PDB file of all heavy atoms in Angstrom:
ATOM      1  N   GLY A 159     122.513  89.758 102.036  1.00 90.00           N
ATOM      2  CA  GLY A 159     123.644  89.252 101.330  1.00 90.00           C
ATOM      3  C   GLY A 159     123.314  88.743 100.024  1.00 90.00           C
ATOM      4  O   GLY A 159     124.249  88.210  99.285  1.00 90.00           O
ATOM      5  N   ALA A 160     122.213  88.715  99.547  1.00 95.00           N
ATOM      6  CA  ALA A 160     121.732  88.062  98.240  1.00 95.00           C
ATOM      7  C   ALA A 160     121.458  89.203  97.103  1.00 95.00           C
ATOM      8  O   ALA A 160     120.779  90.155  97.470  1.00 95.00           O
ATOM      9  CB  ALA A 160     120.577  87.239  98.423  1.00 95.00           C
ATOM     10  N   PRO A 161     121.941  88.958  95.893  1.00 96.00           N
ATOM     11  CA  PRO A 161     121.505  89.840  94.780  1.00 96.00           C
ATOM     12  C   PRO A 161     119.941  89.789  94.647  1.00 96.00           C
ATOM     13  O   PRO A 161     119.447  88.739  94.987  1.00 96.00           O
ATOM     14  CB  PRO A 161     122.195  89.385  93.566  1.00 96.00           C
ATOM     15  CG  PRO A 161     123.372  88.397  94.127  1.00 96.00           C
ATOM     16  CD  PRO A 161     122.830  87.908  95.464  1.00 96.00           C
ATOM     17  N   PHE A 162     119.376  90.862  94.105  1.00 97.00           N
ATOM     18  CA  PHE A 162     117.938  90.856  94.127  1.00 97.00           C
ATOM     19  C   PHE A 162     117.375  89.739  93.265  1.00 97.00           C
ATOM     20  O   PHE A 162     116.299  89.133  93.714  1.00 97.00           O
ATOM     21  CB  PHE A 162     117.480  92.265  93.599  1.00 97.00           C
ATOM     22  CG  PHE A 162     115.846  92.307  93.510  1.00 97.00           C
ATOM     23  CD1 PHE A 162     115.238  92.280  94.612  1.00 97.00           C
ATOM     24  CD2 PHE A 162     115.217  92.378  92.314  1.00 97.00           C
ATOM     25  CE1 PHE A 162     113.792  92.253  94.653  1.00 97.00           C
ATOM     26  CE2 PHE A 162     113.909  92.428  92.269  1.00 97.00           C
ATOM     27  CZ  PHE A 162     113.194  92.346  93.421  1.00 97.00           C
ATOM     28  N   GLU A 163     117.992  89.340  92.152  1.00 96.00           N
ATOM     29  CA  GLU A 163     117.440  88.319  91.352  1.00 96.00           C
ATOM     30  C   GLU A 163     117.460  86.963  92.127  1.00 96.00           C
ATOM     31  O   GLU A 163     116.570  86.093  91.955  1.00 96.00           O
ATOM     32  CB  GLU A 163     118.132  88.183  90.062  1.00 96.00           C
ATOM     33  CG  GLU A 163     117.831  89.353  89.072  1.00 96.00           C
ATOM     34  CD  GLU A 163     118.451  89.079  87.754  1.00 96.00           C
ATOM     35  OE1 GLU A 163     118.989  87.963  87.439  1.00 96.00           O
ATOM     36  OE2 GLU A 163     118.293  90.067  86.925  1.00 96.00           O
ATOM     37  N   GLU A 164     118.426  86.699  92.986  1.00 97.00           N
ATOM     38  CA  GLU A 164     118.335  85.562  93.983  1.00 97.00           C
ATOM     39  C   GLU A 164     117.181  85.700  94.974  1.00 97.00           C
ATOM     40  O   GLU A 164     116.612  84.642  95.175  1.00 97.00           O
ATOM     41  CB  GLU A 164     119.752  85.476  94.530  1.00 97.00           C
ATOM     42  CG  GLU A 164     119.771  84.300  95.544  1.00 97.00           C
ATOM     43  CD  GLU A 164     119.486  82.958  94.873  1.00 97.00           C
ATOM     44  OE1 GLU A 164     119.752  82.747  93.718  1.00 97.00           O
ATOM     45  OE2 GLU A 164     119.091  82.044  95.703  1.00 97.00           O
ATOM     46  N   VAL A 165     116.931  86.902  95.381  1.00 98.00           N
ATOM     47  CA  VAL A 165     115.819  87.046  96.345  1.00 98.00           C
ATOM     48  C   VAL A 165     114.517  86.735  95.651  1.00 98.00           C
ATOM     49  O   VAL A 165     113.689  86.065  96.224  1.00 98.00           O
ATOM     50  CB  VAL A 165     115.812  88.464  96.911  1.00 98.00           C
ATOM     51  CG1 VAL A 165     114.626  88.565  97.848  1.00 98.00           C
ATOM     52  CG2 VAL A 165     117.232  88.778  97.577  1.00 98.00           C
ATOM     53  N   VAL A 166     114.410  87.133  94.296  1.00 98.00           N
ATOM     54  CA  VAL A 166     113.260  86.674  93.567  1.00 98.00           C
ATOM     55  C   VAL A 166     113.043  85.238  93.391  1.00 98.00           C
ATOM     56  O   VAL A 166     111.966  84.759  93.743  1.00 98.00           O
ATOM     57  CB  VAL A 166     113.294  87.460  92.177  1.00 98.00           C
ATOM     58  CG1 VAL A 166     112.065  86.931  91.319  1.00 98.00           C
ATOM     59  CG2 VAL A 166     113.319  88.926  92.233  1.00 98.00           C
ATOM     60  N   ARG A 167     114.183  84.562  93.153  1.00 97.00           N
ATOM     61  CA  ARG A 167     114.004  83.134  93.212  1.00 97.00           C
ATOM     62  C   ARG A 167     113.640  82.373  94.410  1.00 97.00           C
ATOM     63  O   ARG A 167     112.956  81.549  94.412  1.00 97.00           O
ATOM     64  CB  ARG A 167     115.319  82.470  92.564  1.00 97.00           C
ATOM     65  CG  ARG A 167     115.863  82.869  91.242  1.00 97.00           C
ATOM     66  CD  ARG A 167     117.060  82.294  90.730  1.00 97.00           C
ATOM     67  NE  ARG A 167     117.410  82.653  89.313  1.00 97.00           N
ATOM     68  CZ  ARG A 167     118.304  83.608  89.024  1.00 97.00           C
ATOM     69  NH1 ARG A 167     118.790  84.262  90.045  1.00 97.00           N
ATOM     70  NH2 ARG A 167     118.427  83.979  87.792  1.00 97.00           N
ATOM     71  N   ARG A 168     114.214  82.908  95.491  1.00 97.00           N
ATOM     72  CA  ARG A 168     113.919  82.530  96.840  1.00 97.00           C
ATOM     73  C   ARG A 168     112.383  82.792  97.209  1.00 97.00           C
ATOM     74  O   ARG A 168     111.683  81.906  97.753  1.00 97.00           O
ATOM     75  CB  ARG A 168     114.808  83.041  97.896  1.00 97.00           C
ATOM     76  CG  ARG A 168     116.154  82.637  97.893  1.00 97.00           C
ATOM     77  CD  ARG A 168     117.151  83.445  98.778  1.00 97.00           C
ATOM     78  NE  ARG A 168     118.431  83.140  98.716  1.00 97.00           N
ATOM     79  CZ  ARG A 168     119.494  83.575  99.448  1.00 97.00           C
ATOM     80  NH1 ARG A 168     119.174  84.567 100.366  1.00 97.00           N
ATOM     81  NH2 ARG A 168     120.706  83.277  99.222  1.00 97.00           N
ATOM     82  N   ALA A 169     111.820  83.972  96.778  1.00 98.00           N
ATOM     83  CA  ALA A 169     110.559  84.376  97.014  1.00 98.00           C
ATOM     84  C   ALA A 169     109.671  83.384  96.225  1.00 98.00           C
ATOM     85  O   ALA A 169     108.572  82.937  96.767  1.00 98.00           O
ATOM     86  CB  ALA A 169     110.287  85.807  96.675  1.00 98.00           C
ATOM     87  N   TRP A 170     110.028  83.025  94.920  1.00 97.00           N
ATOM     88  CA  TRP A 170     109.241  82.109  94.163  1.00 97.00           C
ATOM     89  C   TRP A 170     109.092  80.818  94.838  1.00 97.00           C
ATOM     90  O   TRP A 170     108.030  80.234  94.918  1.00 97.00           O
ATOM     91  CB  TRP A 170     109.838  82.021  92.702  1.00 97.00           C
ATOM     92  CG  TRP A 170     109.182  81.107  91.784  1.00 97.00           C
ATOM     93  CD1 TRP A 170     109.795  80.117  91.104  1.00 97.00           C
ATOM     94  CD2 TRP A 170     107.936  80.951  91.455  1.00 97.00           C
ATOM     95  NE1 TRP A 170     108.860  79.475  90.304  1.00 97.00           N
ATOM     96  CE2 TRP A 170     107.674  79.880  90.449  1.00 97.00           C
ATOM     97  CE3 TRP A 170     106.729  81.696  91.855  1.00 97.00           C
ATOM     98  CZ2 TRP A 170     106.439  79.519  90.030  1.00 97.00           C
ATOM     99  CZ3 TRP A 170     105.417  81.208  91.231  1.00 97.00           C
ATOM    100  CH2 TRP A 170     105.453  80.227  90.344  1.00 97.00           C
ATOM    101  N   GLN A 171     110.245  80.243  95.242  1.00 97.00           N
ATOM    102  CA  GLN A 171     110.306  78.875  95.966  1.00 97.00           C
ATOM    103  C   GLN A 171     109.400  78.920  97.210  1.00 97.00           C
ATOM    104  O   GLN A 171     108.658  78.083  97.547  1.00 97.00           O
ATOM    105  CB  GLN A 171     111.556  78.400  96.273  1.00 97.00           C
ATOM    106  CG  GLN A 171     112.511  78.196  95.050  1.00 97.00           C
ATOM    107  CD  GLN A 171     111.887  76.933  94.220  1.00 97.00           C
ATOM    108  OE1 GLN A 171     111.360  75.923  94.821  1.00 97.00           O
ATOM    109  NE2 GLN A 171     111.885  77.085  92.967  1.00 97.00           N
ATOM    110  N   SER A 172     109.556  80.018  98.102  1.00 97.00           N
ATOM    111  CA  SER A 172     108.721  80.184  99.302  1.00 97.00           C
ATOM    112  C   SER A 172     107.226  80.160  98.992  1.00 97.00           C
ATOM    113  O   SER A 172     106.511  79.650  99.636  1.00 97.00           O
ATOM    114  CB  SER A 172     109.268  81.494  99.976  1.00 97.00           C
ATOM    115  OG  SER A 172     110.612  81.316 100.425  1.00 97.00           O
ATOM    116  N   ALA A 173     106.998  80.978  97.923  1.00 97.00           N
ATOM    117  CA  ALA A 173     105.462  81.072  97.449  1.00 97.00           C
ATOM    118  C   ALA A 173     105.049  79.681  97.134  1.00 97.00           C
ATOM    119  O   ALA A 173     103.849  79.303  97.497  1.00 97.00           O
ATOM    120  CB  ALA A 173     105.538  82.028  96.386  1.00 97.00           C
TER     121      ALA A 173
END
Side-chain angles (χ1 to χ4, degrees):
F162 181 62
E163 291 190 3
E164 175 59 26
V165 178
V166 175
R167 294 184 182 94
R168 293 175 183 179
W170 175 233
Q171 291 298 322
S172 296

